[in-house]
């Protein structure tokens, strides 16, 4: 991977990228062959032009003129055909590589730990997976093969020029080092500039994505003016990054154009003197050299431009491979596969921290027997949500063991483990799709009829049926077309359809209406029936029904027992919590 942004090119990174063309070797070789053929077509036209002038126009031979014009027309048609095939298949190859690379990247990201997503901006990851990878396609469509084709053209042109007149060739080549030096400086400057551009694009994407997602907060707290100012600042940095690339282009291309014009002037001056002196240089040679010098310098100027494209693609590839090289996956070395579980859960001296030595769980131990409902209560930050995150292996524990049916969850394959655990979170996430697709998650084995039957069993079919198009109702992004209570009901049904052995509920209902709360309570009773359930409890009704209540404080379990048992403890944590939070609810 490229570590120095000022480097003009990173060959190790490039070789790694080329491996993605291995499945398409035939196309790769064909495009390379087309590039070679195009380089020979490049000198064929100037040669035929020289022959036309010297063999037909100068001696005024009409038949030879028609013949050479016909040859030039045929050569042009062949060049157009190969140019079409070259451009089409170079772009096709780029899109195939991009598709495979994007699939690999998304597959890799699917297995990341939650820690990675906690620390990574969503907008930046979206930039990597969408626009950065699309930029990589330009390496093949406008960069690599185009540069190879241009270099081959230049080599063939120089060889042909020497064959025609070594003196004029040396004259042309005196200007070449100056253009090559300018090109080299230009490439280095543009590499740094494009790195800055990609950074600014990622920052802009991140800012826009976050503000659009949190627009309700922005408007509720009347932060429109402040966010607008921030956006203007970020957008200005983005503009400046692009203007820097424009500045380098504005300097380089006029210099290159001036050098080309000087070269043509030298050819006409020196070649004209030799032609007048009848010193082996003809009018046809002079005309051919004017066109050949263009064919030599134009690719050189274009190489600089295409090298920019190549560099931009390489910068994007560097970023994408940076994610592909990130080792942030939960270890999935477990070989045990379970089709069903009784549901015995045990935490043994489990310690865990999200960052560094700041422990969130400080050696907790507890058991939940099969079929039991365990309610977890405690203040915010006590570690309640961490318990359910660890049970699903979203994070790796620091010490201790978590067992299900006596098996360490590390010994169970991740897919098998998570298939047996269903989670209903307080913050329900719905995709921009139909209610049916959000329930069965587009699993073709779960039919609409089965979903309807399950909805009737937990008492929410009537609510779904009243929506426009029923189960085919599109809830839009994050379920924006539904209330918070309705979203939670959908998540209950989604969990119920998976027929889990273990159920985890974060059953907050503080922001839902009374009708939705009654439906949620009925759904809770139904889906917890007969299966082990761990509930982060917010309502007294749920807590009182629990077989066991686990009270947490500052990452430790301070009390365990039933509702009645815990109320008997004088100055107990749960009793104090009940007096402050739940007694008024019970009175109501």
């Amino acid at each position: 991977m490229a570590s120095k942004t000022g480097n003009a090119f990173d060959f190790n990174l490039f070789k790694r990228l080329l491996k993605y063309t291995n499945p398409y070797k035939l196309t790769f070789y064909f495009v390379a062959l087309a590039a070679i053929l195009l380089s020979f077509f490049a000198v064929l036209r100037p040669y035929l032009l020289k022959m036309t002038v010297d063999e037909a126009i100068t001696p005024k031979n009409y038949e030879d003129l028609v013949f050479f014009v016909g040859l030039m027309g045929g050569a042009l048609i062949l060049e157009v055909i190969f140019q079409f095939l070259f451009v089409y298949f170079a772009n096709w190859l780029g899109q195939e590589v991009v598709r495979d690379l994007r699939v690999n990247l998304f597959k890799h990201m699917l297995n990341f730990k939650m820690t990675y997503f906690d620390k990574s901006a969503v907008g930046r990851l979206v930039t990597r997976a969408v626009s950065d990878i699309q930029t990589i396609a330009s390496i093949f469509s406008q960069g690599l093969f185009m540069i190879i084709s241009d270099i081959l053209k230049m080599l063939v042109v120089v060889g042909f020029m020497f064959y025609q007149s070594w003196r004029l060739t040396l004259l042309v080549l005196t200007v070449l080092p100056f253009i090559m030096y300018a090109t080299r400086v230009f490439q280095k400057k543009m590499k740094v500039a494009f790195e800055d551009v990609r950074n600014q694009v990622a920052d802009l994407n991140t800012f826009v994505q976050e503000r659009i997602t949190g627009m309700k907060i922005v408007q509720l707290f009347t932060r429109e003016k402040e966010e607008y100012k921030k956006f203007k600042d970020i957008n200005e940095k983005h503009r400046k990054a692009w203007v820097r690339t424009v500045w380098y282009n504005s300097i380089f291309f006029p210099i290159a154009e001036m050098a080309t014009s000087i070269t043509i002037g030298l050819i006409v001056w020196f070649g004209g003197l030799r032609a007048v002196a009848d010193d082996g240089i003809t009018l046809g040679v002079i005309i051919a050299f004017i066109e050949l010098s263009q064919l030599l310098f134009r690719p050189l100027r274009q190489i600089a431009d295409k090298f920019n494209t190549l560099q931009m693609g390489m910068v994007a590839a560097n970023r994408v491979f940076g994610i592909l090289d990130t080792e942030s996956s939960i270890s999935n070395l477990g070989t045990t596969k379970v089709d069903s579980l009784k549901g015995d859960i045990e935490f043994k001296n489990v310690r865990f921290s999200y960052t560094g030595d700041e422990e969130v769980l400080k050696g907790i131990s507890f058991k939940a027997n099969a079929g039991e409902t365990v309610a977890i209560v405690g203040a915010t930050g006590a570690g309640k949500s961490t318990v359910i995150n660890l049970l699903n292996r979203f994070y790796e524990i620091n010490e201790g063991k978590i067992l299900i049916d006596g098996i360490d969850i590390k010994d169970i394959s991740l897919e098998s483990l998570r298939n047996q655990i269903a989670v209903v979170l307080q913050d329900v996430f719905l995709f921009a799709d139909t209610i049916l697709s959000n329930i069965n998650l587009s699993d073709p084995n779960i039919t609409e009829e089965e979903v309807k039957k399950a909805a009737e069993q937990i008492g929410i079919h009537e609510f779904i049926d009243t929506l426009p198009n029923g189960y085919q109702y599109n809830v839009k992004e994050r379920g924006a077309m539904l209330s918070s209570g309705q979203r939670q009901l959908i998540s209950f049904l989604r969990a119920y359809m998976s027929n889990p052995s273990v159920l985890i509920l974060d059953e907050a209902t503080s922001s839902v209406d009374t009708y939705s709360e009654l439906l949620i309570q009925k759904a809770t009773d139904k889906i917890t029936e007969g299966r082990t359930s761990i509930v982060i409890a917010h309502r007294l009704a749920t807590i009182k029904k629990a077989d066991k209540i686990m009270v947490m404080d500052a990452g430790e379990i301070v009390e365990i027992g039933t509702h009645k048992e815990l109320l008997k403890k004088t100055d107990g944590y749960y009793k104090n919590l009940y007096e402050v939070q739940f007694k008024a609810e019970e009175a109501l």
Side-chain angles (χ1 to χ4, degrees):
M1 293 196 25
S3 58
K4 296 179 182 179
T5 57
N7 287 347
F9 198 73
D10 189 325
F11 284 99
N12 291 328
L13 182 65
F14 186 64
K15 284 192 291 185
R16 183 176 179 184
L17 188 61
L18 278 183
K19 290 180 181 178
Y20 281 86
T21 66
N22 287 342
Y24 316 105
K25 283 184 177 179
L26 189 62
T27 303
F28 184 89
Y29 292 140
F30 173 79
V31 174
L33 176 63
I36 295 170
L37 291 174
L38 284 171
S39 66
F40 286 100
F41 279 121
V43 299
L44 183 58
R45 284 187 291 108
Y47 174 71
L48 290 174
L49 181 60
K50 178 253 181 191
M51 293 295 292
T52 303
V53 173
D54 289 344
E55 302 295 330
I57 295 176
T58 301
K60 300 181 180 179
N61 189 324
Y62 176 76
E63 290 181 358
D64 285 350
L65 177 63
V66 173
F67 173 71
F68 283 121
V69 169
L71 283 179
M72 283 193 288
L76 181 62
I77 291 171
L78 284 174
E79 187 176 1
V80 168
I81 291 171
F82 275 98
Q83 187 72 37
F84 163 75
L85 294 173
F86 173 73
V87 171
Y88 176 80
F89 283 106
N91 279 274
W92 181 88
L93 181 63
Q95 292 305 317
E96 293 297 308
V97 169
V98 161
R99 180 196 62 191
D100 296 346
L101 189 57
R102 186 175 280 131
V103 167
N104 284 351
L105 179 66
F106 190 71
K107 182 180 179 183
H108 191 63
M109 288 168 63
L110 282 173
N111 296 308
F112 278 164
K113 299 176 186 177
M114 287 299 110
T115 308
Y116 182 85
F117 297 107
D118 293 341
K119 296 177 180 178
S120 302
V122 175
R124 193 171 290 273
L125 292 177
V126 171
T127 301
R128 300 291 174 267
V130 182
S131 61
D132 276 348
I133 285 189
Q134 193 57 46
T135 303
I136 293 172
S138 63
I139 291 177
F140 299 94
S141 61
Q142 301 170 40
L144 170 65
F145 293 114
M146 293 291 186
I147 290 173
I148 291 173
S149 177
D150 286 344
I151 290 173
L152 286 173
K153 282 180 185 178
M154 291 169 64
L155 292 174
V156 172
V157 164
V158 169
F160 182 72
M161 287 169 72
F162 269 113
Y163 173 73
Q164 289 296 312
S165 172
W166 64 270
R167 290 177 295 180
L168 281 178
T169 303
L170 291 177
L171 186 67
V172 171
L173 293 181
T174 56
V175 184
L176 193 61
F178 172 73
I179 295 181
M180 292 181 69
Y181 174 75
T183 302
R184 178 68 174 169
V185 172
F186 179 63
Q187 289 167 358
K188 286 187 174 181
K189 294 293 184 182
M190 290 300 283
K191 175 69 184 284
V192 177
F194 279 136
E195 178 75 25
D196 191 26
V197 165
R198 299 314 303 169
N199 282 331
Q200 296 306 327
V201 168
D203 289 345
L204 192 62
N205 284 347
T206 299
F207 184 88
V208 172
Q209 189 271 336
E210 287 181 346
R211 268 55 184 186
I212 290 176
T213 303
M215 189 58 72
K216 184 182 289 186
I217 300 299
V218 172
Q219 294 183 358
L220 277 172
F221 289 90
T222 61
R223 297 288 299 174
E224 292 92 340
K225 289 182 180 179
E226 288 76 8
E227 297 302 329
Y228 174 67
K229 288 177 183 176
K230 288 180 184 178
F231 178 79
K232 283 183 70 177
D233 290 340
I234 293 173
N235 197 39
E236 179 63 18
K237 290 178 182 177
H238 178 260
R239 184 193 67 82
K240 286 179 179 178
W242 272 110
V243 167
R244 196 171 298 115
T245 67
V246 174
W247 168 251
Y248 293 140
N249 277 291
S250 300
I251 294 174
F252 174 74
F253 287 103
I255 290 174
E257 193 64 38
M258 181 181 67
T260 303
S261 300
I262 291 172
T263 304
I264 293 173
L266 290 172
I267 291 171
V268 173
W269 170 72
F270 183 79
L273 290 177
R274 299 282 74 77
V276 170
D278 199 18
D279 192 15
I281 295 179
T282 65
L283 181 61
V285 171
I286 294 172
I287 293 174
F289 260 78
I290 290 173
E291 186 164 351
L292 286 167
S293 67
Q294 295 292 305
L295 289 173
L296 182 63
F297 292 150
R298 190 185 306 128
L300 189 60
R301 294 199 306 270
Q302 290 175 348
I303 282 175
D305 194 32
K306 288 164 187 171
F307 208 98
N308 294 340
T309 301
L310 184 61
Q311 285 179 324
M312 206 162 182
M314 294 297 287
V315 168
N318 192 34
R319 294 173 179 279
V320 171
F321 283 130
I323 296 178
L324 285 171
D325 290 339
T326 300
E327 294 297 331
S328 184
S329 300
I330 294 288
S331 62
N332 190 16
L333 303 177
T335 55
T336 304
K337 294 186 177 180
V338 290
D339 295 325
S340 63
L341 292 168
K342 287 191 301 179
D344 289 317
I345 298 171
E346 184 176 4
F347 275 55
K348 286 187 174 182
N349 194 34
V350 173
R351 293 182 176 275
F352 173 75
S353 58
Y354 288 103
T355 55
D357 299 326
E358 199 174 315
E359 281 193 331
V360 178
L361 296 184
K362 302 171 183 177
I364 68 168
S365 299
F366 72 90
K367 287 184 179 180
N369 298 319
E372 277 188 343
T373 297
V374 177
I376 306 177
V377 298
T380 301
K384 305 186 296 295
S385 297
T386 302
V387 170
I388 64 177
N389 284 334
L390 295 180
L391 187 58
N392 277 283
R393 289 200 70 201
F394 288 141
Y395 302 88
E396 296 280 24
I397 60 176
N398 298 348
E399 289 181 28
K401 283 187 176 181
I402 301 175
L403 309 175
I404 294 185
D405 290 357
I407 308 169
D408 192 322
I409 60 172
K410 289 184 178 180
D411 296 329
I412 304 174
S413 70
L414 269 178
E415 183 179 2
S416 182
L417 173 69
R418 290 174 181 170
N419 278 340
Q420 296 304 315
I421 302 174
V423 182
V424 178
L425 296 173
Q426 179 180 351
D427 182 20
V428 179
F429 187 94
L430 298 181
F431 296 97
D433 208 332
T434 63
I435 285 180
L436 178 64
S437 293
N438 271 287
I439 294 168
N440 64 15
L441 297 176
S442 301
D443 185 344
N445 297 317
I446 302 177
T447 66
E448 185 172 345
E449 288 305 314
E450 290 173 328
V451 172
K452 287 181 179 178
K453 185 177 179 182
E456 288 171 355
Q457 289 173 350
I458 66 173
I460 67 171
H461 169 72
E462 186 178 341
F463 135 65
I464 297 174
D465 204 39
T466 58
L467 297 171
N469 300 320
Y471 289 83
Q472 298 302 320
Y473 180 62
N474 193 309
V475 300
K476 304 300 180 184
E477 188 174 359
R478 298 182 68 90
M481 301 304 291
L482 301 176
S483 69
S484 58
Q486 290 172 330
R487 289 196 294 272
Q488 198 165 52
L489 289 168
I490 297 299
S491 70
F492 270 91
L493 183 53
R494 179 163 61 192
Y496 186 62
M497 287 303 302
S498 67
N499 191 28
S501 301
V502 176
L503 184 68
I504 296 173
L505 298 178
D506 189 346
E507 49 87 67
T509 55
S510 57
S511 60
V512 303
D513 58 84
T514 305
Y515 176 69
S516 294
E517 185 173 352
L518 290 172
L519 289 178
I520 289 171
Q521 190 170 345
K522 181 180 178 182
T524 303
D525 293 342
K526 180 64 181 178
I527 67 175
T528 56
E529 192 177 285
R531 54 172 58 91
T532 307
S533 303
I534 296 179
V535 185
I536 297 178
H538 302 268
R539 291 184 295 114
L540 184 61
T542 302
I543 296 170
K544 291 175 73 174
K545 288 178 184 177
D547 299 296
K548 191 181 296 179
I549 300 169
M550 188 168 76
V551 186
M552 295 190 69
D553 181 44
E556 297 179 318
I557 299 172
V558 292
E559 292 174 350
I560 293 182
T562 64
H563 175 67
K564 290 182 179 179
E565 290 170 349
L566 293 177
L567 284 181
K568 291 177 182 178
K569 291 187 177 183
T570 307
D571 291 329
Y573 189 101
Y574 178 77
K575 185 175 182 180
N576 290 333
L577 187 68
Y578 171 76
E579 294 287 343
V580 173
Q581 186 173 336
F582 298 126
K583 200 168 186 179
E585 184 183 334
E586 187 172 44
L588 287 172

